[in-house]
Amino acid sequence: MSDYAAGLRRGGPGLALWGMAMLVAAEATLFGTFVGTYYYLRFESVHWPSPGTSEPRVVVPLIMVGILITSSIPMHLAARAVRRGRLWTTRLLLAWALAVQCGYLAWATHDYVQQLHHSAPQDNAYSSIYYVLLGADHAHVAIGVLLVVWLLWKLTRGLTMYRLNATQAIAFYWHAVNALTLIVLGVLLSVRL
Amino acid sequence: MLALAGCGGEQDTLNPHSHASTDIANLFWVMTAVAVGGLALITGLLVFAWVRRGRRGFGGDPDDPHPGERPAWFVVVGMGVVFPLVVIVALFIAGNWAIINVTQAPAASSTAMTVDAIGHQWYWEFRYPGTKAVTADELHIPVDTRVNLVATTADVIHSFWVPALNRKVDAIPGRQNRILLYANEPGVYRGQCAEFCGLQHAHMGMLVFVQPRAQFRAWLRQQAAPAAAPTTALARRGRQVFLSGPCSSCHAIRGTTARGYVGPDLTHLASRTTLAGVTIPDSRSYLSRWIVDSQHFKPGNEMPDFRLTGSQLSSLVAYLESLK
Amino acid sequence: MTTAVYEERLERMWRSRPGFLGWAMTTDHKRIGLLYFWTTLVLFAAGGAEALIIRTQLAQPNQHVVGPATYDELFTLHGVTMIFFFIIPMTTGAFGNYLLPLMIGARDMAFPRMNALSYWVFLASGIFVYTSLFIGQAPNAGWFDYVPLASAKYDPGHAIDFYCLGIIFNGIASSLTAANFIVTILKLRAPGMSFNRMPLFCFAFLAASWGLLFALPSLTADAIFLFLDRNVGTHFFDVAKGGSTLLWQHLFWIFGHPEVYILIVPAFGIATEIIPAFTQRRVVAFPLVAVAELLVVFIGFGVWAHHMFATGMPTVTVIFFAAATGIVVIPSTIQVFAWCMTFITGRARFKTPLLFIAGFIFMFVAGGLTGIMFLAVPFDQQVTDTYFVIAHFHYIIFGAAVFPIFGGMYFWFPKVTGRLYFELPGQISFWIIFVGTNLLFFPMHIVGLEGMPRRNYTYSSGLGWGSYNLAETIGSYITTVGIVVLLVNLVVSYFRGPPAGADPWHGATLEWTISSPPPEYNFAVIPKVSSAYANWDYADREEDRRKLAEGIMVLEQGHEQPVSAPVDGWLAEIVEMPHDSPWPILLALAMSIVFVLLLLHLWTGVCFALAGIVLALLGWHGEEPQESEA
């Protein structure tokens, strides 16, 4: 780097975080349209859920999502630790987050498949939007898990600016996914109101 | 295909024959006058700029990077914000407050009768609730009567539009959209499906016959009656061809065993003036050609071409011509 | 150390690989802009050919040039091509990519490899959609593809699947471009270029990019739902099972209306840079124009249901959208008067680019005035779905998007090629196109008012529509001639035009401070910026020359680029940019395979292809830009 650059301290988040913010904005809007679709179909329908389809369970999903969103704590702490160059702390925090996220993903996949034994997206409009909204959320969780796995693997080989930026961006991704999962759960459970 | 100018009126929004379309047409002329004025103003500014091209500002400091900025701001705010707002508010009031009560769906209690318009690929089915009358593509209504037109569809989205009488209304699956048809003089007015509905969207026209009340009642009575029994031997043979062949699987003729619902109801086919969505006249030669080669006139329509012997065809046509 | 030594170091550092591989692996925004430019011209020709066949078929009543099935494919492809494969990629992909970094004093986009990915994905989506035409399965339900006509029941086969998947695929390219533009405009401006000192071009592209980012997801969701309904058996749009027909329309137009602002706002940006150069005056009421460009896209998100006034929505809903439609007019009228006043108070030179901008203003105002008429709902309900609407939006799209594109081609031709175009043929091309487009689109107002619906492959004689249609067809041929003259002029000028030098127009913005064509690294010294018209700030340019000679802010020790704060523009850090890379084109290939397998319903194959995407991403993020060099 030029001498000129070496003396600079970075002010503010790097470009990677901005790029991730753009991705989150676009994905959040996509989920926004799914949620909008859910309520549009709901208010156009006399019966919701459509006849023949049961309402979703409340307690277990609430608990599991509650556990998932706690993973934002280690993700946030990892983003802070990596800025201070504390590589081992970062790795441990990420591993902790990954354990929670993998646990949730395993339950979520199992639960989704179980539900498909009782009803199908092809039954009616309610189950169509239900499975698409929930499935999209699980897909984003799965991608998040892959991102953390990749990050941990990269960090086994040391710390560079690129990996520091990646840690911050992926932490931000996870905060967004956690918030999204909570919102999706709220939407799907609102049928009980 | 022939010119059908003699068979029906124009489809001109600017040749209105009802309060609703008259109001819309008048509004259009006012808006056009304002629009022409606006375009003339902008063109004038551009021409003015061209005329004084090469000359800068209006005096003042030649090194000023913003010559005439203050007066220019006044123009931008005055003409770009204030004046358009005034025009838009006026237009909004004129268009959406003054007129909308004749163009929006009428209150059911304010209308004297109802007609159901059901869109099909590619014809209009018309029913008169309270009677057994069913017809296709040619609609009759009495003059000076508030008619509640209910538009629905049997398949894809269509749009019911008779410009001389009112604005268009879409026929959407699962919904009943309504408009008012209220003609103030007798005549024949042409309409057309106005939402792309597939291959023969272009040939989904309709005619509205506005008649004096007595004539309309007579027409409706006739339409509600079942088909007349054929009186000639030729026509009886034709009925046999119709009922034993594939015709009855797609078409209905009330008073016979034909109950098909794919194509239009033919009970009073001979009382109509056109065929195939106001595409061809309802004459003997066109009817014959339509039966054996409908794909020529309306390629892609649901009716296949039929192989009939000469005598089968002439008897069939004779029967259909008897269905007045 | 002299200027020449620094420039030579930069040139060595930023040089692309030679030959075909250099183009396939390029991340240089200028090369990517040129790739977009040529590709969109080819697709523009396709869309134009579709239009000419349509016009030929309609020239007289009851013709048989094409049958209804072909006609339906033609008008569908014409709309899809012109919007998704011409205007958006030409304004954002070609003009935006080439010019944005130059205008803000940067050496590349914020994400150069993602920029290349956008292009390859765009190209792949174009090939994907046009393959449908070559196998006789082109989309045929209109560019807005209403259900139930587009459902599996009424449109079996692959045509609409090509539409759904093609739209999603193309949308990915545009979303990536939008994200790239936003971060570039906010973070890569030369230090000192605070938010209020950026050229109006940048405001316009920022607005359009936010629009793309937030509008495309609605279309993507819509297309996903339709693909699922058609191929998996879901019921989003199936009324019998609790779905809704109008759901398609709402989601479509929530995208579709902002889309039309996305089409014209970048063109506004082009216009607002041509005008200062050819009037030698800063744009009147700069802050108002900048805010108006952002506002028009923002308000444009709130008006979508004015495309649905005939569908039977409740009156209260209809009134709300009519009112919002009225408000969205104001930012446009502000800009029109600001431009006209700049013309009048400046020293106007009506060279070809400015002629196109004058033509643009005329056509845009004409189209905008008919647009205002639509806020009178009963009138809208009479003329919606007729040729009156076609007239309206073609005056707007051709006038407000295509005219500035043509003007911009002439305007920046010297910068990109280093040669001047020939002025007289340029002016002639303008007048032919202007006459042609008015003859083509004006009669459509009349014939629409006389009852001619849109999307009719033919019409009866005796309705009085024949002579207007004939005039329109003649207008379409004249317009084509004008466009051919324009293109031939540019090609001949490329080979035989006189040398242009760095700044033939005495333009206002930073791209005119560097050579024509620009060097690979754009700016030898990161420029000092004090206003939005940097080329007219002579003291700053003098200071740049001094700094270059002394090696200050030359940043020649890597692929270096300053990053600044989004609002104030003070220098935050220096980053190392990626250079030539194979991963963008490889990732685009992997994505293409996924879309083809989805079309063919090979779901297991899709899973493997997704793994291919993961592998390409791993490769991509395996190459980290070097942090330091000796």
Side-chain angles (χ1 to χ4, degrees):
Chain A
M1 284 243 152
S2 305
D3 306 330
Y4 197 76
L8 276 181
R9 237 172 35 86
R10 188 172 75 192
L15 291 178
L17 193 53
W18 278 83
M20 183 57 79
M22 294 292 113
L23 176 70
V24 164
E27 293 299 291
T29 311
L30 185 68
F31 273 89
T33 54
F34 289 166
V35 169
T37 299
Y38 181 93
Y39 284 114
Y40 183 83
L41 289 173
R42 175 181 184 161
F43 291 119
E44 292 270 308
S45 300
V46 175
H47 301 289
W48 192 261
S50 305
T53 308
S54 52
E55 295 180 350
R57 290 187 302 165
V58 178
V59 177
V60 173
L62 261 178
I63 294 174
M64 294 308 289
V65 170
I67 294 175
L68 176 70
I69 62 180
T70 64
S71 71
S72 271
I73 300 171
M75 293 303 296
H76 172 72
L77 292 174
R80 272 200 2 209
V82 81
R83 277 230 302 277
R84 295 181 188 149
R86 310 246 208 85
L87 197 49
W88 267 108
T89 317
T90 308
R91 290 175 185 147
L92 280 169
L93 287 165
L94 286 174
W96 165 19
L98 184 64
V100 173
Q101 291 154 358
C102 280
Y104 173 86
L105 185 61
W107 168 81
T109 312
H110 170 79
D111 176 68
Y112 195 84
V113 170
Q114 280 295 105
Q115 289 190 57
L116 281 171
H117 288 144
H118 298 295
S119 67
Q122 292 88 343
D123 288 346
N124 50 54
Y126 169 85
S127 44
S128 298
I129 185 62
Y130 177 89
Y131 279 106
V132 165
L133 188 49
L134 190 59
D137 184 58
H138 292 337
H140 281 74
V141 169
I143 290 171
V145 163
L146 287 177
L147 286 173
V148 176
V149 165
W150 171 82
L151 184 59
L152 272 171
W153 170 64
K154 273 279 189 174
L155 287 177
T156 57
R157 303 189 316 185
L159 184 60
T160 66
M161 201 64 185
Y162 198 79
R163 294 164 200 176
L164 190 159
N165 288 332
T167 309
Q168 298 205 293
I170 293 173
F172 182 76
Y173 177 88
W174 263 108
H175 299 322
V177 166
N178 284 338
L180 204 61
T181 305
L182 199 54
I183 291 172
V184 168
L185 184 66
V187 168
L188 294 179
L189 292 183
S190 71
V191 69
R192 291 193 170 249
L193 293 172
Chain B
M1 257 64 94
L2 286 203
L4 288 175
C7 298
E10 310 156 324
Q11 216 165 273
D12 193 346
T13 66
L14 299 178
N15 192 2
H17 290 277
S18 72
H19 291 308
S21 46
T22 304
D23 284 347
I24 295 174
N26 290 339
L27 177 65
F28 165 74
W29 289 119
V30 171
M31 292 193 295
T32 300
V34 173
V36 168
L39 187 60
L41 171 65
I42 297 295
T43 311
L45 290 176
L46 291 171
V47 168
F48 182 56
W50 182 80
V51 162
R52 51 186 313 281
R53 64 193 182 283
R55 275 171 288 162
R56 179 181 176 75
F58 294 94
D61 180 4
D63 291 327
D64 180 5
H66 306 101
E69 184 79 8
R70 260 195 104 220
W73 264 84
F74 275 112
V75 173
V76 171
V77 174
M79 297 300 295
V81 180
V82 176
F83 181 68
L85 262 180
V86 168
V87 170
I88 284 165
V89 169
L91 174 60
F92 186 81
I93 293 173
N96 296 323
W97 189 53
I99 295 183
I100 208 164
N101 49 10
V102 282
T103 57
Q104 69 183 356
S109 55
S110 74
T111 56
M113 62 176 278
T114 297
V115 176
D116 288 336
I118 302 142
H120 294 255
Q121 285 179 315
W122 290 280
Y123 67 96
W124 289 100
E125 173 189 352
F126 296 116
R127 289 177 176 261
Y128 291 78
T131 75
K132 290 201 168 78
V134 181
T135 186
D137 294 334
E138 295 187 9
L139 163 65
H140 289 236
I141 58 173
V143 73
D144 287 325
T145 309
R146 290 173 65 87
V147 175
N148 178 31
L149 187 296
V150 181
T152 55
T153 175
D155 40 43
V156 300
I157 299 179
H158 299 277
S159 190
F160 181 92
W161 187 41
V162 183
L165 296 182
N166 210 336
R167 46 85 162 188
K168 63 181 62 72
V169 67
D170 288 351
I172 295 177
R175 295 170 92 95
Q176 290 190 335
N177 285 335
R178 300 176 304 111
I179 52 163
L180 176 70
L181 292 183
Y182 182 26
N184 40 31
E185 57 187 345
V188 183
Y189 308 110
R190 195 180 192 277
Q192 213 172 321
C193 173
E195 183 62 64
F196 179 62
C197 54
L199 283 172
Q200 284 300 326
H201 167 63
H203 288 127
M204 198 168 151
M206 65 190 116
L207 292 175
V208 180
F209 291 81
V210 180
Q211 300 177 300
R213 295 212 180 111
Q215 258 183 287
F216 169 76
R217 280 196 292 272
W219 176 86
L220 189 60
R221 263 199 308 276
Q222 185 203 20
Q223 294 292 314
T231 50
T232 67
L234 187 65
R236 272 196 289 274
R237 274 208 304 281
R239 182 174 63 176
Q240 203 35 42
V241 172
F242 187 95
L243 293 176
S244 60
C247 313
S248 54
S249 58
C250 289
H251 291 283
I253 296 182
R254 282 171 282 128
T256 71
T257 55
R259 286 275 177 274
Y261 193 57
V262 177
D265 183 292
L266 301 180
T267 311
H268 298 283
L269 179 63
S271 71
R272 306 212 273 262
T273 64
T274 59
L275 298 174
V278 195
T279 303
I280 48 178
D282 185 3
S283 70
R284 177 178 301 180
S285 72
Y286 273 105
L287 184 54
S288 310
R289 285 160 63 187
W290 171 260
I291 291 170
V292 298
D293 193 11
S294 65
Q295 293 296 319
H296 168 76
F297 298 102
K298 235 172 140 167
N301 91 83
E302 304 275 357
M303 180 162 152
D305 298 340
F306 290 108
R307 297 272 153 275
L308 296 171
T309 66
S311 79
Q312 281 176 317
L313 182 60
S314 55
S315 64
L316 181 58
V317 170
Y319 173 59
L320 292 171
E321 284 188 317
S322 77
L323 296 174
K324 294 220 182 299
Chain C
M1 293 295 213
T2 65
T3 300
V5 172
Y6 285 119
E7 285 175 345
E8 193 260 336
R9 277 191 183 181
L10 283 166
E11 195 273 335
R12 233 183 328 117
M13 184 64 60
W14 286 83
R15 186 186 303 155
S16 287
R17 270 170 202 256
F20 174 74
L21 214 52
W23 284 91
M25 289 172 50
T26 187
T27 57
D28 175 6
H29 69 99
K30 301 184 289 299
R31 284 194 163 196
I32 293 171
L34 288 172
L35 286 171
Y36 265 105
F37 181 77
W38 297 317
T39 312
T40 54
L41 276 184
V42 171
L43 287 160
F44 179 51
E50 286 144 15
L52 286 175
I53 300 174
I54 290 172
R55 284 300 346 145
T56 307
Q57 162 68 11
L58 292 178
Q60 286 290 270
N62 297 321
Q63 295 203 119
H64 298 282
V65 174
V66 287
T70 308
Y71 186 89
D72 296 346
E73 293 182 343
L74 285 173
F75 76 72
T76 304
L77 275 180
H78 170 73
V80 169
T81 302
M82 288 308 200
I83 291 176
F84 294 106
F85 295 103
F86 171 55
I87 304 224
I88 299 275
M90 176 61 91
T91 53
T92 59
F95 283 89
N97 264 319
Y98 197 100
L99 294 167
L100 266 177
L102 298 180
M103 289 221 182
I104 59 175
R107 289 197 168 139
D108 210 322
M109 290 283 184
F111 304 113
R113 289 175 298 178
M114 194 168 85
N115 201 15
L117 177 67
S118 289
Y119 170 73
W120 296 114
V121 170
F122 157 69
L123 177 66
S125 70
I127 294 172
F128 183 85
V129 170
Y130 267 84
T131 302
S132 70
L133 182 65
F134 295 123
I135 65 171
Q137 288 271 301
N140 55 7
W143 89 276
F144 39 88
D145 200 60
Y146 281 176
V147 297
L149 183 63
S151 67
K153 179 172 178 192
Y154 296 103
D155 206 328
H158 288 304
I160 304 298
D161 295 332
F162 270 106
Y163 174 89
C164 294
L165 293 172
I167 292 280
I168 295 172
F169 202 14
N170 179 267
I172 293 174
S174 293
S175 299
L176 293 173
T177 298
N180 217 341
F181 281 12
I182 292 171
V183 180
T184 304
I185 293 172
L186 292 180
K187 294 290 290 178
L188 257 60
R189 302 195 305 271
M193 188 185 278
S194 55
F195 197 70
N196 61 330
R197 287 179 187 165
M198 86 185 170
L200 288 170
F201 184 95
C202 301
F203 279 98
F205 276 75
L206 184 63
S209 300
W210 282 118
L212 275 168
L213 200 69
F214 287 121
L216 277 167
S218 187
L219 181 68
T220 303
D222 221 6
I224 290 174
F225 293 159
L226 181 59
F227 185 80
L228 290 175
D229 267 20
R230 288 176 56 84
N231 298 296
V232 171
T234 51
H235 298 283
F236 291 97
F237 306 117
D238 180 2
V239 174
K241 294 281 196 158
S244 165
T245 311
L246 284 184
L247 175 65
W248 170 272
Q249 296 192 25
H250 280 296
L251 287 179
F252 185 87
W253 290 115
I254 288 173
F255 153 79
H257 196 85
E259 170 72 356
V260 311
Y261 292 108
I262 292 163
L263 292 176
I264 61 178
V265 165
F268 288 175
I270 295 174
T272 37
E273 295 308 331
I274 294 179
I275 291 174
F278 288 100
T279 56
Q280 292 294 297
R281 190 209 189 282
R282 296 160 199 244
V283 173
V284 164
F286 179 104
L288 274 187
V289 175
V291 167
E293 276 171 359
L294 296 167
L295 263 186
V296 78
V297 173
F298 181 72
I299 302 175
F301 272 91
V303 305
W304 79 86
H306 69 216
H307 298 269
M308 297 165 61
F309 278 160
T311 59
M313 294 183 299
T315 304
V316 129
T317 312
V318 161
I319 295 290
F320 167 79
F321 281 103
T325 304
I327 302 198
V328 84
V329 173
I330 304 297
S332 295
T333 48
I334 290 174
Q335 293 188 70
V336 167
F337 279 99
W339 295 326
C340 287
M341 294 315 292
T342 312
F343 270 75
I344 289 175
T345 56
R347 185 188 297 130
R349 292 175 295 156
F350 279 86
K351 298 232 175 235
T352 306
L354 198 69
L355 273 181
F356 273 104
I357 300 311
F360 140 66
I361 293 176
F362 177 87
M363 306 275 289
F364 175 56
V365 170
L369 288 166
T370 52
I372 293 174
M373 292 185 190
F374 289 128
L375 78 89
V377 173
F379 175 73
D380 176 287
Q381 293 164 331
Q382 261 288 37
V383 296
T384 187
D385 263 305
T386 69
Y387 267 77
F388 191 88
V389 175
I390 299 186
H392 159 72
F393 67 69
H394 280 95
Y395 262 89
I396 298 271
I397 297 186
F398 211 111
V402 182
F403 270 57
I405 287 172
F406 289 159
M409 282 191 208
Y410 278 111
F411 183 56
W412 280 292
F413 180 84
K415 177 53 56 184
V416 174
T417 64
R419 293 182 182 260
L420 289 173
Y421 64 83
F422 292 108
E423 183 62 38
L424 183 61
Q427 305 226 351
I428 291 172
S429 71
F430 165 74
W431 285 109
I432 299 176
I433 294 173
F434 185 76
V435 167
T437 49
N438 278 285
L439 184 60
L440 167 54
F441 297 122
F442 187 79
M444 291 184 182
H445 293 106
I446 301 173
V447 88
L449 287 163
E450 289 193 358
M452 184 172 177
R454 46 188 302 195
R455 299 160 160 200
N456 280 202
Y457 77 99
T458 188
Y459 53 94
S460 300
S461 53
L463 289 163
W465 301 341
S467 41
Y468 294 115
N469 273 282
L470 184 60
E472 293 162 19
T473 302
I474 295 171
S476 71
Y477 295 149
I478 295 175
T479 306
T480 309
V481 167
I483 294 174
V484 167
V485 171
L486 183 155
L487 291 172
V488 166
N489 186 11
L490 291 182
V491 169
V492 172
S493 304
Y494 179 76
F495 290 107
R496 292 168 173 267
D503 189 10
W505 313 126
H506 198 38
T509 38
L510 282 169
E511 75 270 23
W512 305 107
T513 66
I514 54 183
S515 66
S516 305
E520 291 256 11
Y521 50 84
N522 297 346
F523 298 94
V525 59
I526 305 301
K528 174 163 189 267
V529 173
S530 313
S531 80
Y533 299 94
N535 196 30
W536 295 346
D537 294 330
Y538 306 114
D540 287 344
R541 306 282 68 79
E542 203 31 64
E543 187 170 329
D544 283 349
R545 277 186 281 276
R546 271 198 314 272
K547 277 156 68 176
L548 177 55
E550 293 167 34
I552 298 173
M553 284 304 270
V554 172
L555 307 180
E556 81 288 4
Q557 309 222 337
H559 295 107
E560 295 178 300
Q561 165 68 38
V563 172
S564 17
V567 176
D568 294 329
W570 46 258
L571 179 61
E573 64 176 311
I574 311 279
V575 294
E576 178 70 21
M577 301 299 258
H579 209 51
D580 295 347
S581 167
W583 295 109
I585 195 172
L586 290 174
L587 179 53
L589 190 60
M591 291 167 70
S592 307
I593 295 173
V594 170
F595 278 91
V596 170
L597 291 174
L598 280 170
L599 182 75
L600 297 173
H601 299 179
L602 296 170
W603 314 122
T604 335
V606 169
C607 295
F608 283 108
L610 286 174
I613 289 184
V614 172
L615 286 174
L617 283 170
L618 282 173
W620 180 308
H621 289 281
E623 57 180 35
E624 300 182 13
Q626 291 168 288
E627 297 222 287
S628 59
E629 284 173 304

